[in-house]
Amino acid sequence: MSLPLPPARPAEALLVDRLRAAGCVFAEDEARLLAAAADHPARLAEMLELRCAGHPLEQVVGFAEFAGLRIALAPGVFVPRRRSEFLVERAAALGAPGTVVLDLCCGSGAIGAALAARLGAVELHAADVDPAAAACARRNLAPYGGAVHLGDLDAPLPGDLRGRVGLLVANAPYVPTGEIPLLPPEARDHEPQVALDGGADGLAVQRRVAAVAPRWLAPGGHLLIETSGRQAPATAALMTARGLAARIEQDEERDATVVIGTRRG
């Protein structure tokens, strides 16, 4: 006599089991996101395998929620962090409609998009050295008429931007090279090194941003750099050395630190 079969488990419950076994803390939420993002069972299975292998959830589903926006992402592109919303907030408080906004080391363009969404009509430019990131940024900035320039730091920028930028924002990499192995595997193994590695002291790219900023900033314009609380005094000193009036602002809840440098008028 055959025994009755147990009732079939909902597909989402099976997803949760797999995700939980892979160490995903928010397995239920992730299962719902994966199911909603997949357009076919085979695609869902592929996405599940990627997530269980440690790929960032945002890269797997193709987007990240940031500052109230859905930011398109692709495999291998830096995932915008919640702490960077503080950078957006501080920059938005210093801007207005019509401001010329420049996002250096833009990655997916999340910060530039969030600023344009908050400020309204701005002249928006962004630049990144990574072709995959620049492609994402073009998708995310298109609704705001943003121009994305592919190249190293400010090298690809059009000359007519010189002296006109009101807000120059940069979430430049600031993890010291020796600390890269200490990052979570999602970042260490699946995000581009160029978006993480700030050189021996974590300030290598920030140093370059501070050096070029004065040539692009309008009188009274602001440079905002995200950094760590530990590095903030050094970041401020980089700005001061370039003639900018620097101050440090922090948000303890999000563990976020922004250094703001203002070009004197």
Side-chain angles (χ1 to χ4, degrees), residues 37-117:
D39 55 5
H40 189 275
R43 176 58 181 151
L44 178 57
E46 178 186 2
M47 293 166 71
L48 177 62
E49 292 305 318
L50 288 171
R51 181 59 185 140
C52 290
H55 291 254
L57 176 67
E58 295 85 354
Q59 291 180 2
V60 174
V61 300
F63 67 88
E65 298 291 344
F66 180 79
L69 301 177
R70 178 169 285 196
I71 300 297
L73 285 180
V77 174
F78 181 81
V79 177
R81 304 327 196 227
R82 180 172 176 262
R83 71 170 69 95
S84 297
E85 294 177 356
F86 183 58
L87 174 60
V88 171
E89 292 165 8
R90 300 316 305 138
L94 297 169
T99 299
V100 178
V101 177
L102 172 58
D103 183 1
L104 287 182
C105 307
C106 70
S108 64
I111 291 172
L115 278 173

Side-chain angles (χ1 to χ4, degrees), residues 128-136 138 150:
D128 201 282
V129 72
D130 179 17
C136 274
R138 290 190 181 97
L150 175 62

Side-chain angles (χ1 to χ4, degrees), residues 132-181:
C136 274
R138 290 190 181 97
R139 292 174 60 190
N140 290 315
L141 301 188
Y144 309 102
V148 179
H149 311 278
L150 175 62
D152 182 32
L153 216 59
D154 66 334
L157 298 179
D160 64 3
L161 270 183
R162 287 177 180 260
R164 294 200 304 114
V165 176
L167 291 173
L168 196 168
V169 295
N171 182 16
Y174 55 89
V175 180
T177 303
E179 296 179 18
I180 296 290

